[in-house]
Amino acid sequence: MGLITGLLTLPIAPVRGVVWVAEKLQDAAERELHDPAVLRTQLAVLNKELEDGFINLEEFEREEERLLDRLDAATARPAPRDRR
């Protein structure tokens, strides 16, 4: 980046920084959303909630199906690349 370009784009530097932080947050959220270990933990918590009577069988089955679909999709997709 040349001196002139650097001076001309200086006013938008904070915007670029916010965009960079937002991209990093989105990447982290997507990794957690599709992480099989996190999904398995959520399934275990769901089972515990059913056993303890916090949810009924209908709610359990609906949520279990959603989590199993996400787990199936997460194991079928390739691992996300780390964009740096």
Side-chain angles (χ1 to χ4, degrees):
M1 182 182 307
L3 179 61
I4 301 294
T5 304
L7 289 174
L8 292 175
T9 60
L10 189 60
I12 64 168
V15 174
R16 287 192 318 227
V18 170
V19 169
W20 180 83
V21 168
E23 288 173 350
K24 294 300 174 185
L25 287 173
Q26 180 182 4
D27 290 345
E30 286 180 3
R31 276 194 306 274
E32 186 172 325
L33 181 66
H34 301 296
D35 184 3
V38 171
L39 294 171
R40 287 186 190 100
T41 301
Q42 290 175 343
L43 281 168
V45 168
L46 186 65
N47 280 318
K48 183 72 172 146
E49 288 177 348
L50 178 65
E51 290 172 1
D52 293 344
F54 293 121
I55 60 172
N56 62 30
L57 186 59
E58 184 180 305
E59 291 172 308
F60 171 80
E61 289 174 346
R62 185 175 52 243
E63 187 65 18
E64 181 188 40
E65 183 177 347
R66 187 181 70 79
L67 287 171
L68 289 174
D69 287 344
R70 284 179 45 203
L71 182 61
D72 189 37
T75 55
R77 73 175 32 207
R81 296 186 333 237
D82 187 17
R83 300 181 317 186
R84 287 188 189 189

